[in-house]
Amino acid sequence: MLLFAIIYYAVNGVFFSFFNFLFGINGRKNSSKRVDFTKSMLTLMMWMLSFSLISLLPEFGFQPAFLSDIYSFWTIAIILIAFILIDFLEYWIHLFFHKSPFLWKFHRVHHESFELNWSKALRLSVVESFGTSLFINLFLFILFGKEKLILLVILFGSKRFYGFFLHSNTDVAYGKAVLYFSSPRFHHWHHATLTQNPLNLSTLFPIWDKIFGTYYGEGSEIPRIYGIRNSEDKLSQNGKTIQVI
Ligand SMILES: [Zn+2]
Ligand SMILES: [Zn+2]
């Protein structure tokens, strides 16, 4: 498990270092080099542990017969619906992690950093990384059964890779399309806004923020500072005026 985590981390590290070299924000390219290795390893181990625990569960065997063929229209349709549903559930889990004083103690780890790069997607507390992945893997297991679990975990794992891109040191904005699909600049603002009244909480589909009133969007530029922000924040830091939302 540890070896797999190291290889996975190293491959992503090489890819995003190159990505940062090509597309990194001018003046911030060094920030990509400061990665959270230990916390990232723990997160990867927790993801694998949650998958291993769920795979040990006995098959419930109440999945409908039409789901037995992975390539059938209905299986693909239900996988797509599950993809959207999981993003919706993740929005609410994320909101609870901000709003509940108890859960915030764990989620604040993700917000403590003053800079963003791909590895900050893995900067999570053990409670958050293990708890949320256990919940999602259990959801997939109940819906699709044990046989397809590995395939689905890989499929849904692609979302994790997109999460690395969202945190990467790059200013990619989608303009009006960001209402339908999140961009790095959209998520960068999540790390720059007030943490007790969070904005831009969605992972993939910002429409959840729009519906539930937590949408900020991409703003007119990339945020200048990141970290834990509350309403007592001063409006200037190091002589620069900063925006507090
Ligand atoms: Zn958050
Ligand atoms: Zn984040």
Side-chain angles (χ1 to χ4, degrees):
M1 238 163 55
L2 182 64
L3 184 67
F4 183 81
I6 292 171
I7 294 170
Y8 181 81
Y9 190 83
V11 169
N12 280 291
V14 170
F15 177 81
F16 281 101
S17 296
F18 189 58
F19 184 82
N20 181 61
F21 172 71
L22 292 178
F23 307 109
I25 300 166
N26 279 339
R28 293 191 196 174
K29 291 200 180 190
N30 281 341
S31 72
S32 181
K33 291 173 191 144
R34 288 188 283 269
V35 290
D36 279 300
F37 182 74
T38 314
K39 282 195 173 65
S40 303
M41 278 296 133
L42 271 173
T43 296
L44 292 172
M45 299 291 277
M46 289 303 113
W47 287 354
M48 284 188 276
L49 182 66
S50 81
F51 171 73
S52 310
L53 288 175
I54 297 291
S55 350
L56 289 175
L57 289 175
E59 187 80 78
F60 291 164
F62 57 68
Q63 287 79 31
F66 63 78
L67 281 179
S68 59
D69 177 8
I70 190 83
Y71 299 111
S72 77
F73 169 79
W74 282 111
T75 309
I76 293 169
I78 289 175
I79 288 173
L80 279 176
I81 292 167
F83 207 80
I84 295 167
L85 194 59
I86 284 178
D87 202 65
F88 172 77
L89 293 173
E90 279 183 345
Y91 170 87
W92 283 100
I93 293 170
H94 192 180
L95 184 63
F96 283 130
F97 266 104
H98 275 267
K99 292 288 187 181
S100 148
F102 174 71
L103 292 176
W104 171 245
K105 285 186 194 133
F106 304 109
H107 187 57
R108 64 174 291 136
V109 173
H110 186 62
H111 283 270
E112 274 167 350
S113 185
F114 295 124
E115 60 203 8
L116 284 188
N117 63 53
W118 74 277
S119 81
K120 305 299 175 185
L122 292 164
R123 188 190 160 92
L124 299 169
S125 71
V126 165
V127 169
E128 183 175 351
S129 55
F130 181 71
T132 50
S133 72
L134 191 74
F135 175 78
I136 290 163
N137 290 341
L138 185 64
F139 179 84
L140 291 171
F141 173 77
I142 292 171
L143 200 60
F144 298 102
K146 200 168 179 172
E147 198 189 312
K148 296 184 206 70
L149 193 62
I150 182 84
L151 186 71
L152 288 164
V153 166
I154 293 169
L155 182 71
F156 283 77
S158 60
K159 230 179 135 169
R160 309 289 188 196
F161 182 77
Y162 194 71
F164 299 157
F165 173 60
L166 290 181
H167 289 85
S168 63
N169 176 37
T170 189
D171 183 14
V172 175
Y174 296 166
K176 285 192 175 125
V178 79
L179 186 55
Y180 307 103
F181 215 72
S182 62
S183 66
R185 197 198 282 178
F186 173 87
H187 192 70
H188 277 229
W189 273 110
H190 175 65
H191 284 265
T193 52
L194 298 179
T195 38
Q196 75 272 53
N197 286 314
L199 298 169
N200 290 3
L201 292 144
S202 305
T203 312
L204 282 188
F205 308 122
I207 200 81
W208 311 128
D209 283 295
K210 196 75 181 168
I211 294 170
F212 301 112
T214 52
Y215 185 81
Y216 175 68
E218 291 179 331
S220 54
E221 57 178 15
I222 194 99
R224 271 172 284 176
I225 64 159
Y226 306 94
I228 294 179
R229 317 285 306 280
N230 53 51
S231 47
E232 291 92 49
D233 260 359
K234 289 189 175 64
L235 277 168
S236 69
Q237 187 173 303
N238 301 330
K240 282 187 219 154
T241 305
I242 51 167
Q243 192 173 355
V244 180
I245 305 169

